[in-house]
Amino acid sequence: MDTARFEQLLKQAMGLDSASIGSASVERAVQERVSACGLADVRSYWDRLSGSGTELQELIEAVVVPETWFFRDPASFVALARLLRDERSPRQAQGVLRLLSVPCSTGEEPYSMAMALLDAGFPASALRIDAVDISHRALARAQGAVYGRNSFRGSDLAFRDRHFVAAAGGHSPADAVQRLVKFRHGNLLDGLAAGAELYDVIFCRNVLIYFDRVTQDRALAVLGRLLTPCGWLFVGPSETALLSDHGFISAKLPLAFAFRKGPAPRTDTGLRATPAPSRSMRAPAPAAAAPRPARPRVAPSAATPRTAARAETATGIDRARRLADQGHLAEAAALCEAHLRERGPTAEAYNLLGLVRDASGKTDDAADQYRKALYLEPNHHEALVHLALLLQKQGDAAGAQRLQQRASRLQHGGGA
Ligand SMILES: C[S@@+](CC[C@H](N)C(=O)[O-])C[C@H]1O[C@@H](n2cnc3c(N)ncnc32)[C@H](O)[C@@H]1O
């Protein structure tokens, strides 16, 4: 008996496209279950599996890939704090922010969301994070909340000193962090039975890659329904291309993989609003901020030599940003460095290099790059915000606060 039937069943049950993990992995999982059930062969296992929800769940447990760690793709968490602070809708500003991590696996992702927002100064009372996964085993580990070395990767682990306590076998998030996250079992493809309220932010990272195109479409339709009209959806680095096909609009924050739900929400007058420009690398400073050089447009055909040169510059940085967005950090850094060497220093290039270094876990170097950007452009809102978050993470609360205040003054129309 071949594994095709099992593959078909898993696709129906959880969306798994066996090509994404290889048929051999499904076969291994089936064999594991045959042994665990003490059965003679795969055919007997098929009979056992047919009609048994419990055994189907066991097979799902055997094929899921629960790989995750704290602050995976760190720029996403920086962006989370920033987008919620800079672009809060009136509804969000008044009330509680609702966030969802699906799939949450063993809990590192939703706990990272909680820590990032607490570090950014959001009060615990304003945050509610739901965390959902199809694996009971992963959820049990999430609720056990003891994390070993594998959950802490990269060199910037200052968050562990701030938010964890030592526990037998590893570290546990402090109660203040654990209290913010509610775990529950659920299947993304079943729509997650949303309550009356929708989510302001959804992290759905590193699961769409295991689905085929039709299932990805289904999952994105579910996510679209669960998001508020101004909500943000974060995906994994290899999942970004799908989003624009579904009308989501990139926040254009390098390495954050963040998208706004599109099309733009209707205004009170019933007219379609222009999509709010995200305070992104492309247009970072708020309208009332101290003047920053306008971002050069890509070469109009009748460009003057000067505008053509600026357009070329923009193209180089745009390419670096795109590479960074796709997770090609080394290439993005190399382009930024080449740009700085060949065209001289610009705040934009230093800021982008800072983000790339930050995402690579090279935090000291990242801080240096942000500082260079600020030396060139003291009112560079992006660099101010990112350096503030970095200092906060490194435990320099006073330094972070000073920069944050400068960024806020810009935001509210004053000089920094
Ligand atoms: C690689 S982990 C991703 C965890 C986390 N989002 C991250 O990026 O680090 C994939 C998770 O997807 C879960 N999963 C797979 N199919 C699912 C589905 N249909 N609904 C909910 N969770 C699912 C698995 O149980 C596993 O824990």
Side-chain angles (χ1 to χ4, degrees), residues 13-15 64-69 72 101-106 109 132-135 138 186-189 203-207 210-211:
M14 61 179 294
V64 291
V65 182
E67 180 79 353
T68 186
W69 59 93
R72 180 179 194 172
S101 159
V102 60
C104 63
S105 188
T106 40
E109 181 177 277
V132 178
D133 201 280
I134 202 167
S135 164
N187 183 343
L188 171 59
L189 299 171
F203 271 51
C204 180
R205 308 189 309 161
N206 305 302
V207 71
Y210 297 109
F211 298 163

Side-chain angles (χ1 to χ4, degrees), residues 3-18 21-23 25-27 29-30 45-46 49 55-64 134 187 189 210-211 215 218:
T3 47
R5 275 182 174 194
F6 295 96
E7 292 177 9
Q8 195 49 42
L9 184 66
L10 286 168
K11 180 180 268 183
Q12 256 168 31
M14 61 179 294
L16 178 69
D17 175 13
S18 56
I21 57 168
S23 289
S25 301
V26 177
E27 204 172 320
V30 170
Y45 181 61
W46 177 257
L49 185 59
E55 188 47 45
L56 177 57
Q57 181 64 34
E58 289 299 337
L59 184 60
I60 288 174
E61 299 290 350
V63 291
V64 291
I134 202 167
N187 183 343
L189 299 171
Y210 297 109
F211 298 163
T215 315
R218 245 176 89 193

Side-chain angles (χ1 to χ4, degrees), residues 20 66 117 132 155 159 163 166 172 176 244 262 292 412 414:
S20 67
L117 292 176
V132 178
S155 53
F159 70 90
H163 292 292
S172 283
S244 20
R292 290 191 50 205
H412 294 104

Side-chain angles (χ1 to χ4, degrees), residues 34 49 55 57 129 171 182 247 272 277 310 323 340 366 381 415:
V34 171
L49 185 59
E55 188 47 45
Q57 181 64 34
I129 304 174
H171 288 81
K182 299 271 174 290
R272 192 166 289 286
R310 293 174 75 200
L323 282 168
L340 287 162
H381 186 258

Side-chain angles (χ1 to χ4, degrees), residues 216-233:
Q216 287 170 339
D217 291 349
R218 245 176 89 193
L220 283 167
V222 168
L223 294 167
R225 281 198 297 276
L226 290 172
L227 264 183
T228 59
C230 300
W232 294 100
L233 174 61

Side-chain angles (χ1 to χ4, degrees), residues 156 358 363 366-367 370 385-395:
D156 180 17
D358 217 344
T363 44
Y370 293 141
V385 170
H386 285 296
L387 186 55
L389 289 165
L390 188 56
L391 293 185
Q392 184 81 43
K393 270 202 293 183
Q394 291 177 328

